Amino acid sequence: MTEGGGAADWTARFPGLFARGYVDYANADVDFFVGEPPDELIARIHCIATDSAGRVIVCRSEQEWRFLPGGTREPDEPIAETVARELLEEAGAKVTGEPVIFAAQVATSRNEGPYRPHMPHPLSYWAFALTTADLIHPPTNPADGEHVVEVLALPVDEAVRWLAVHDQTAADVVRLAAAMGLLTSPNGS
């Protein structure tokens, strides 16, 4: 973290992101924090993947939903493999850098059981990772995932505005990463 200070500073600067929330499709209460959660409790991950020009890779589904690529972790899957798989499936992007988790939502499910048998329950983490990637081909769009119809690589500020149309959390996470100095242009600025 290069700008600001501890978690209290980020909470004050991004109150909407750090406010307790509810995610209806998962029937879960969520709380956001900066840091890395316990690996064994990470159920899903979303990626702020930047290309060689420092642009953020974003996706749009056939339902018009705009989002950061990512998704559910498979049984016994290492985080780096989840990141690589999800970026390839949803964005047609090949990871070129080691993923680094910098933040997460603590999700407390209200459901009786886990979404999938191998997933932690009722407490799990939805992590946010930074990595670099190259767009190499169209998304693979597996049958059990979102059908992605558009993939863009946008400058950070433009990616924030684009994501905010449907996913304010993703937009705020990108803003937070930029404010923390974690997103830089290729010339180091």
Side-chain angles (χ1 to χ4, degrees), residues 13-14 16-18 32 46-48 56-59 65-69 102 105 128 130 154-180 183:
R13 288 182 62 187
F14 297 92
L17 186 58
F18 284 88
F32 189 85
H46 288 276
C47 306
I48 301 175
V56 177
I57 297 171
V58 295
C59 303
W65 189 257
R66 299 175 182 196
F67 58 95
L68 291 169
F102 76 102
Q105 290 175 307
F128 293 94
L130 299 157
L154 301 172
V156 173
D157 289 343
E158 193 174 330
V160 167
R161 287 190 298 275
W162 193 84
L163 287 164
V165 170
H166 292 115
D167 192 344
Q168 189 61 51
T169 297
D172 285 346
V173 169
V174 173
R175 285 180 50 232
L176 173 65
M180 293 172 74
L183 300 177

Side-chain angles (χ1 to χ4, degrees), residues 117-175:
H118 72 278
M119 299 177 86
H121 182 79
L123 182 72
S124 66
Y125 289 84
W126 303 344
F128 293 94
L130 299 157
T131 194
T132 54
D134 291 328
L135 294 173
I136 59 171
H137 56 65
T140 60
N141 285 321
D144 64 344
E146 290 88 4
H147 185 76
V148 177
V149 296
E150 182 177 33
V151 177
L152 302 170
L154 301 172
V156 173
D157 289 343
E158 193 174 330
V160 167
R161 287 190 298 275
W162 193 84
L163 287 164
V165 170
H166 292 115
D167 192 344
Q168 189 61 51
T169 297
D172 285 346
V173 169
V174 173
R175 285 180 50 232

Side-chain angles (χ1 to χ4, degrees), residues 36-124:
E36 189 171 349
D39 183 88
E40 68 277 6
L41 295 179
I42 298 173
R44 60 185 221 195
I45 192 158
H46 288 276
C47 306
I48 301 175
T50 53
D51 67 7
S52 60
R55 298 173 300 188
V56 177
I57 297 171
V58 295
C59 303
R60 181 175 59 84
S61 71
E62 67 183 350
Q63 293 84 14
E64 297 299 320
W65 189 257
R66 299 175 182 196
F67 58 95
L68 291 169
T72 304
R73 193 174 188 182
E74 296 298 328
D76 302 316
E77 186 176 48
I79 289 297
E81 288 180 24
T82 305
V83 168
R85 179 179 50 78
E86 290 291 346
L87 278 165
L88 200 58
E89 289 176 359
E90 294 188 347
K94 180 181 177 184
V95 172
T96 59
E98 190 67 30
V100 176
I101 295 173
F102 76 102
Q105 290 175 307
V106 182
T108 305
S109 177
R110 296 181 185 183
N111 294 327
E112 289 185 27
Y115 171 64
R116 293 178 60 196
H118 72 278
M119 299 177 86
H121 182 79
L123 182 72
S124 66

